[in-house]
Amino acid sequence: MENEARKKRIFSGIQPSGELTLGSYMGAIKNWVALQDEYDCIYCIVDMHAITVRQDPAQLRRRSVAQLAQYIACGLDPQKNIMFIQSHVPQHAELGWILGCYTQFGELSRMTQFKQKSQQHADNITAGLFTYPVLMAADILLYQADLVPVGADQKQHVELCRDIAQRFNGVYSDTFTLPEPFIPKMGARVMSLGNPDNKMSKSDPDGCVYLMDKPEEIRRKFKRAVTDSETAVRFDKENKPGVSNLLTIYCAATGKTMEEAEEEFAGQGYGVFKPAVADAVVELLRPIREESERLMADKAYLESVYREGAQRAQYLANKTLSKVQRKVGFAAR
Ligand code: TRP
């Protein structure tokens, strides 16, 4: 128990704005699973972030719960980690408002993801999309997280979070732990099967494999994966981005090293290689899909997990929030 208290805290989240993909698994969730014993981990389903662009309500509701089932099916233990749905813990919105008053308009204007997303959703550039990084800062700071495992695209947001925390601490004395982005050593950056220059994205159905895809679907997607006109199976990110991506996936799915994989396919063409990658992914995802399906049939269990998660999260969040409220000068209740 003494050691328990000294574990570093980790916070991370994924938006339920689409179905989880092989990229979410290999790039994030698989690492989360590896961290669950060594760290004190909080994994969130960030539905409030998801509504910064328009969502179908029924889909969002279903996906938020399905995402929890998939977290568990991937190996995240609800006993070891706090897992919850962001909107169930209103402290996120409350702290978000306060932190927004300690964030500069100019800082938010410089966020690259805002610039990108406001181009993609030019007809719906909301204040929520603009202040999204403030809500993310609240997510992290509420729990005094030390480390935030994120992809490279989120690093700027974690840095802004640090700046906000530092500013607040400077004005009101130490309140927040300064978090660090945590880009784990292992974990694969999985690219789109159709356009290997882009990260695999849940909004690109043909270029991504969903955790819930059936074997035939997975095989079809790998069959169509972009390669190149050479025939050699070797890792060369510059000149063979498609094949390199498939090799990365193959290694992550089988646990083999790149050398072992290259050797295995030496002298063989893509006609042998691609189906082998597909098979490895089919076998990797089969138990995850089956377990998710089983859990989805047990709504009462999932409900108990996210309710308990929200309760545990609220307990921690409240400690930070009440401190902050007092420091900024809100009257005692
Ligand atoms: N913005 C993150 C993404 O889109 C999701 C997210 C929200 C998050 N809050 C967070 C990630 C807090 C880490 C920590 O990927």
Side-chain angles (χ1 to χ4, degrees):
M1 267 332 261
E2 267 172 47
N3 275 338
E4 295 279 300
R6 265 183 260 120
K7 278 187 182 173
K8 287 203 171 175
R9 179 161 295 154
I10 282 188
F11 184 98
S12 197
I14 298 180
Q15 300 188 40
S17 52
E19 303 296 322
L20 293 178
T21 69
L22 187 64
S24 343
Y25 178 69
M26 291 181 163
I29 302 172
K30 195 175 161 193
N31 277 309
W32 295 1
V33 175
L35 298 169
Q36 65 185 347
D37 291 311
E38 212 180 315
Y39 297 90
D40 183 5
C41 303
I42 305 176
Y43 296 123
C44 189
I45 295 158
V46 289
D47 56 346
M48 290 160 68
H49 277 99
I51 62 163
T52 55
V53 302
R54 190 84 86 230
Q55 301 292 331
D56 174 79
Q59 288 287 357
L60 181 62
R61 201 175 345 265
R62 183 192 57 77
R63 279 202 214 107
S64 297
V65 178
Q67 192 166 307
L68 176 69
Q70 291 167 34
Y71 280 3
I72 300 171
C74 287
L76 288 174
D77 181 343
Q79 236 56 60
K80 292 183 187 163
N81 309 284
I82 297 180
M83 295 192 267
F84 72 102
I85 299 172
Q86 188 184 29
S87 64
H88 293 181
V89 179
Q91 287 81 357
H92 289 246
E94 295 183 67
L95 182 62
W97 175 260
I98 297 175
L99 295 181
C101 302
Y102 297 81
T103 307
Q104 298 298 309
F105 182 86
E107 290 179 301
L108 292 175
S109 312
R110 285 194 290 275
M111 293 293 117
T112 21
Q113 192 177 62
F114 172 71
K115 292 187 211 165
Q116 281 167 358
K117 285 202 179 178
S118 51
Q119 273 173 5
Q120 282 164 16
H121 305 275
D123 55 340
N124 187 34
I125 306 174
T126 66
L129 188 65
F130 187 64
T131 59
Y132 165 125
V134 179
L135 179 61
M136 179 161 162
D139 296 344
I140 297 165
L141 298 179
L142 265 181
Y143 302 99
Q144 310 288 349
D146 301 287
L147 300 170
V148 184
V150 282
D153 60 320
Q154 295 296 317
K155 219 175 142 208
Q156 196 185 27
H157 292 159
V158 181
E159 274 152 15
L160 175 67
C161 170
R162 264 180 87 87
D163 291 343
I164 298 171
Q166 215 152 15
R167 183 171 308 145
F168 193 98
N169 287 350
V171 178
Y172 300 103
S173 78
D174 263 7
T175 310
F176 297 123
T177 302
L178 297 186
E180 280 178 44
F182 184 51
I183 322 252
K185 286 172 230 88
M186 48 170 270
R189 194 168 143 76
V190 178
M191 313 305 279
S192 161
L193 299 182
N195 181 358
D197 293 328
N198 294 341
K199 186 170 143 179
M200 180 177 278
S201 154
K202 49 196 167 194
S203 54
D204 165 23
D206 276 328
C208 83
V209 173
Y210 296 109
L211 295 187
M212 293 300 108
D213 277 348
K214 300 263 167 35
E216 317 79 75
E217 187 69 6
I218 296 173
R219 294 205 172 88
R220 185 184 68 82
K221 288 179 178 175
F222 277 100
K223 203 172 203 165
R224 296 176 41 180
V226 167
T227 48
D228 51 60
S229 52
E230 207 191 58
T231 52
V233 179
R234 65 187 164 80
F235 189 84
D236 176 351
K237 240 185 163 146
E238 281 288 294
N239 303 304
K240 300 168 72 71
V243 170
S244 301
N245 185 40
L246 294 177
L247 274 167
T248 303
I249 294 172
Y250 185 73
C251 291
T254 57
K256 291 182 183 164
T257 65
M258 197 52 79
E259 294 74 52
E260 287 169 342
E262 280 180 335
E263 190 162 327
E264 187 177 344
F265 296 105
Q268 307 202 284
Y270 300 155
V272 174
F273 174 54
K274 284 172 137 196
V277 180
D279 283 341
V281 171
V282 165
E283 291 321 313
L284 173 75
L285 296 185
R286 186 190 306 281
I288 295 177
R289 177 173 49 81
E290 287 174 358
E291 178 65 0
S292 303
E293 284 167 355
R294 194 187 66 75
L295 290 167
M296 281 306 271
D298 191 353
K299 287 286 180 318
Y301 170 73
L302 291 173
E303 222 172 79
S304 74
V305 171
Y306 68 65
R307 284 196 181 140
E308 197 195 313
Q311 246 172 31
R312 290 164 70 195
Q314 285 213 35
Y315 172 79
L316 298 171
N318 255 331
K319 288 209 252 186
T320 303
L321 182 64
S322 36
K323 226 192 266 179
V324 169
Q325 288 169 329
R326 185 163 39 76
K327 291 198 182 193
V328 301
F330 291 173
R333 300 181 192 195

